Amino acid sequence: MSEDKIIDGKAFAAGLRERIGREAARLKAEHGLVPGLAVVLVGENPASQVYVRNKARQTAEAGMRSFEHKLPPETSQDELLNLVEKLNNDPAVNGILVQLPLPDQIAEQAVIDAIDPAKDVDGFHVINVGRLSTGTTGASAPLVPCTPLGCIMLLKNRLGSLSGLNAVVIGRSNIVGKPMAQLLIKESCTVTVAHSRTRDLPAVARAADILVAAVGRPGMIKADWIKPGATVIDVGINRVEGEGGKSRIVGDVDTQAAMAVAGAITPVPGGVGPMTIACLLANTLTAACRQAGIEPPVL
Ligand code: NAD
């Protein structure tokens, strides 16, 4: 296995968090501004609890304020909407993230719609989705969903310009697949979005110079689906049973086999995963700057 084929997202994310920390310190020194991120967790989903804990810790480590709101599983939609409104109006809060999934009695869309788009650091509000798809730049540029933003950073860091490359995104979710496709279009790639109804998916995938897998099926993408030399971004996070009954995390790509064919590939864990929280911090910094009328730093 060739080490230089591995795209080390863990190391890149650590560097990004360091740059964010430096910029946050500069904002505090020069403008007296400390970006604040509010994370709301409803219920006791164990994976969500881990995510929220990590987000809070990394926010504080970057020198930003973290506000955690843990609500009981029986919280009503109105109670959650009231909290969102309070956070929208709180000047110490620059970014709001409501951890998904939410319990059944709460409509996710209603909550996403209620978040002030300027504080929507997940980038899920229709205003941000629309601005991403129209390519809005400058002061009204969108806040971009964290996972695809992390993927595009890794790709540009590895390949430089992406212009003219064939990109295939497998998966069409609002959280990963669709915003990923938009970001690749913005980078002047020729983009195909494949999904569960795509015919002859292996042939579609084999046309890709950049292959992004965001499906949620362990090891689905085989070595012979990959064009020799292609760059493979594995977004999948799948828990499977490992040796001795212990569970482990694998991606959507059969990584060991794919490594022989691909030019570069993100491992799971240690590839895209660590980029997501780093990009959440980046979005919080960006949101804080825009709210204060300060040009956000290039990270
Ligand atoms: P999702 O379930 O919302 O979407 C999955 C997509 O895969 C769908 O669009 C569907 O059409 C497509 N799909 C399903 N079966 C398919 C098949 N057999 N062939 C082709 N396409 C198929 O999932 P999501 O939220 O987009 O997440 C996808 C994966 O990425 C999951 O494993 C998730 O855990 C992971 N994820 C990772 C991060 C991260 O931080 N690294 C963040 C979000 C999601």
Side-chain angles (χ1 to χ4, degrees), residues 126-265:
V126 287
I127 294 276
N128 283 315
V129 176
R131 286 176 174 166
L132 177 61
S133 74
T134 52
T136 312
T137 54
S140 47
L143 289 164
V144 175
C146 303
T147 301
L149 181 59
C151 294
I152 212 84
M153 283 184 186
L154 292 178
L155 280 167
K156 285 169 78 171
N157 182 58
R158 184 75 180 198
L159 298 173
S161 168
L162 311 183
S163 179
L165 296 177
N166 274 342
V168 173
V169 180
I170 310 181
R172 56 175 160 182
S173 72
N174 290 337
I175 293 173
V176 189
K178 283 185 203 155
M180 187 73 229
Q182 293 292 353
L183 287 169
L184 289 162
I185 290 171
K186 192 162 159 256
E187 295 301 325
S188 301
C189 291
T190 304
V191 182
T192 303
V193 180
H195 45 74
S196 52
R197 303 295 176 89
T198 297
R199 293 188 187 156
D200 198 356
L201 185 56
V204 173
R206 267 194 294 272
D209 302 307
I210 294 171
L211 182 62
V212 181
V215 181
R217 290 179 174 245
M220 183 183 89
I221 285 108
K222 307 295 178 200
D224 66 355
W225 295 29
I226 297 168
K227 178 177 172 174
T231 303
V232 179
I233 302 291
D234 189 354
V235 184
I237 298 181
N238 309 293
R239 192 171 284 281
V240 296
E241 194 153 313
E243 276 166 36
K246 265 192 176 171
S247 73
R248 63 191 179 98
I249 301 289
V250 299
D252 289 341
V253 179
D254 180 359
T255 314
Q256 284 303 322
M259 195 85 74
V261 188
I265 186 166

Side-chain angles (χ1 to χ4, degrees), residues 9-197:
K10 195 174 168 197
F12 189 90
L16 178 57
R17 288 198 306 272
E18 232 178 84
R19 295 196 290 283
I20 293 166
R22 273 202 300 276
E23 291 297 336
R26 199 174 57 80
L27 266 186
K28 189 177 177 187
E30 292 179 10
H31 301 277
L33 179 63
V34 180
L37 172 66
V39 179
V40 182
L41 173 64
V42 186
E44 280 145 17
N45 179 318
S48 295
Q49 284 176 332
V50 174
Y51 291 141
V52 166
R53 213 177 308 132
N54 287 339
K55 284 168 185 172
R57 181 176 47 79
Q58 294 186 27
T59 304
E61 279 171 7
M64 306 202 262
R65 263 189 214 123
S66 160
F67 305 97
E68 263 184 87
H69 294 269
K70 290 188 179 154
L71 306 181
E74 64 277 9
T75 301
S76 70
Q77 181 167 311
D78 280 347
E79 284 168 322
L80 180 55
L81 291 176
N82 282 339
L83 173 60
V84 168
E85 199 188 335
K86 253 177 57 192
L87 299 173
N88 280 343
N89 294 323
D90 184 345
V93 172
N94 304 108
I96 303 169
L97 181 147
V98 178
Q99 185 67 46
L100 303 179
L102 290 166
D104 291 346
Q105 73 275 15
I106 302 177
E108 283 182 3
Q109 195 57 53
V111 177
I112 292 168
D113 288 347
I115 296 173
D116 178 347
K119 297 190 176 185
D120 168 38
V121 282
D122 255 339
F124 295 162
H125 192 286
V126 287
I127 294 276
N128 283 315
V129 176
R131 286 176 174 166
L132 177 61
S133 74
T134 52
T136 312
T137 54
S140 47
L143 289 164
V144 175
C146 303
T147 301
L149 181 59
C151 294
I152 212 84
M153 283 184 186
L154 292 178
L155 280 167
K156 285 169 78 171
N157 182 58
R158 184 75 180 198
L159 298 173
S161 168
L162 311 183
S163 179
L165 296 177
N166 274 342
V168 173
V169 180
I170 310 181
R172 56 175 160 182
S173 72
N174 290 337
I175 293 173
V176 189
K178 283 185 203 155
M180 187 73 229
Q182 293 292 353
L183 287 169
L184 289 162
I185 290 171
K186 192 162 159 256
E187 295 301 325
S188 301
C189 291
T190 304
V191 182
T192 303
V193 180
H195 45 74
S196 52
R197 303 295 176 89

